[in-house]
Amino acid sequence: MMEKQQVLLNDIYNLILNPATRDWERQQLVALKKAVEAGTAFKAELARLEASLRPLAVRDNLTPDVTDFYHKITGEPELAEPFDLTRHYAADQPYEERAIFAGGCFWCMVEPFDARPGISAVISGYTGGHTDKPTYEQVIGQHTGHVEAVEIIFDTRVVHYADLIELFWQITDPTDDQGQMNDRGTHYRPVIFVRNAQQRAIATASKQELAASGKYSRPIVTVIESAQKFWPAENFHQEFYKKNRQRYKRLEQTRRQFLAVQHLRSKLRRYLQRFKQK
């Protein structure tokens, strides 16, 4: 019991020092720390802390790291299980390559790639901005210039970069540079971040082919930019589709419906174009 208490106290101390913790959250954590140091029973103070965090927790309005801590103290430790970022920091094998795509909320960008054969890892994160170690709060506040993105590490013997580009077009709206679907803001803009000349050539050719296909009535505005530093997002955001299945299912369903309607309109438009040419 004492060992578990010390683990939780360490978590609390780290959250107090975490710059991403909101002031109000920090006040609640500091209050527990001071009370325990003054001799109040840790169990009672932890219950008080849980009660104070609960109203924001049920509205999904705690910061990511505090959310993980809340899941830990409310009997849902699997939701706070640390995501292994080893592959992000490890050197790639000769047959491995990385792709970085931004296409709206990264919660919905992971599963489509993660489900493909040859994918070693899909990591949610932030890139394209001007601030080191950005937090989720900073990014969604549009203070850092970053976009939400995914870094995909893949085996080139199984899947090719061009295949991933093709999938990217299928799950995003390339005609919207102000966000994606219900996700509005510059931090949700669609971007293909290329890591070398070969990726740029493939992405550029694919974009030109899409523009010439007549699939969309509006211009293709997804931009192709040189890759910058990729910062992995907080643990809460990693593999969101696995840890928060019901919430993810609702979000993904809305996204799929929007894209299905868009793709249907595209087919009708191209059919009418061919009909007029006869």
Side-chain angles (χ1 to χ4, degrees):
M1 182 64 181
M2 290 300 297
E3 182 179 348
K4 180 180 179 180
Q5 176 176 320
Q6 190 57 52
V7 169
L8 292 176
L9 280 172
N10 288 339
D11 289 341
I12 290 168
Y13 297 156
N14 288 332
L15 286 171
I16 291 172
L17 296 173
N18 189 335
T21 302
R22 293 196 195 115
D23 291 341
W24 179 84
E25 294 170 333
R26 186 174 289 106
Q27 290 170 9
Q28 308 310 308
L29 296 164
V30 169
L32 179 146
K33 175 177 177 292
K34 289 182 177 180
V36 171
E37 290 173 348
T40 304
F42 176 76
K43 186 175 181 179
E45 278 302 305
L46 190 65
R48 181 204 61 78
L49 176 63
E50 188 278 326
S52 67
L53 296 177
R54 191 185 310 146
L56 293 183
V58 297
R59 298 198 300 270
D60 296 311
N61 201 23
L62 294 172
T63 50
D65 291 335
V66 176
T67 298
D68 279 346
F69 176 76
Y70 184 82
H71 288 316
K72 182 181 291 188
I73 65 175
T74 54
E76 298 177 295
E78 68 281 358
L79 298 180
E81 189 69 25
F83 179 75
D84 185 4
L85 287 171
T86 302
R87 285 298 294 113
H88 169 72
Y89 296 106
D92 294 339
Q93 297 297 321
Y95 52 82
E96 288 182 323
E97 193 175 335
R98 301 190 186 210
I100 301 176
F101 301 132
C105 177
F106 46 27
W107 291 349
C108 293
M109 287 290 289
V110 175
E111 185 186 23
F113 293 102
D114 210 20
R116 292 291 295 267
I119 303 300
S120 303
V122 183
I123 301 163
S124 297
Y126 316 113
T127 192
H130 50 73
T131 302
D132 287 350
K133 299 179 180 179
T135 67
Y136 181 68
E137 293 283 297
Q138 291 174 326
V139 173
I140 65 173
Q142 302 181 60
H143 304 305
T144 68
H146 290 87
V147 293
E148 292 190 13
V150 290
E151 178 185 64
I152 304 157
I153 305 174
F154 61 100
D155 187 333
T156 57
R157 300 170 301 182
V158 180
V159 62
H160 302 295
Y161 183 72
D163 300 326
L164 302 183
I165 290 286
E166 179 62 27
L167 177 56
F168 173 78
W169 295 130
Q170 293 173 16
I171 62 174
T172 61
D173 178 3
T175 69
D176 185 357
D177 60 1
Q178 298 302 307
Q180 290 288 285
M181 296 68 171
N182 293 331
D183 305 322
R184 311 315 299 164
T186 56
H187 59 301
Y188 289 133
R189 64 192 179 94
V191 186
I192 298 173
F193 291 96
V194 294
R195 294 170 53 85
N196 51 50
Q198 182 182 31
Q199 285 191 356
R200 183 178 293 277
I202 293 171
T204 300
S206 181
K207 179 180 176 180
Q208 292 173 344
E209 182 179 348
L210 183 65
S213 69
K215 183 176 181 180
Y216 298 97
S217 60
R218 296 187 297 169
I220 305 302
V221 295
T222 298
V223 294
I224 300 171
E225 299 180 3
S226 297
Q228 300 182 39
K229 174 75 174 180
F230 182 91
W231 301 94
E234 295 86 344
N235 184 71
F236 172 78
H237 299 297
Q238 304 298 339
E239 293 188 325
F240 185 88
Y241 79 96
K242 291 182 178 179
K243 296 185 292 187
N244 296 271
R245 293 185 183 278
Q246 293 303 315
R247 188 176 176 190
Y248 169 74
K249 186 177 181 180
R250 292 193 298 270
L251 294 169
E252 180 62 9
Q253 184 176 27
T254 300
R255 188 180 181 108
R256 286 181 181 275
Q257 288 173 344
F258 176 91
L259 292 172
V261 171
Q262 189 180 61
H263 293 162
L264 177 60
R265 288 174 177 170
S266 170
K267 289 180 180 179
L268 290 173
R269 185 181 305 108
R270 284 184 289 179
Y271 172 79
L272 290 174
Q273 287 174 345
R274 288 195 297 268
F275 182 78
K276 289 179 181 178
Q277 291 173 356
K278 291 182 179 180

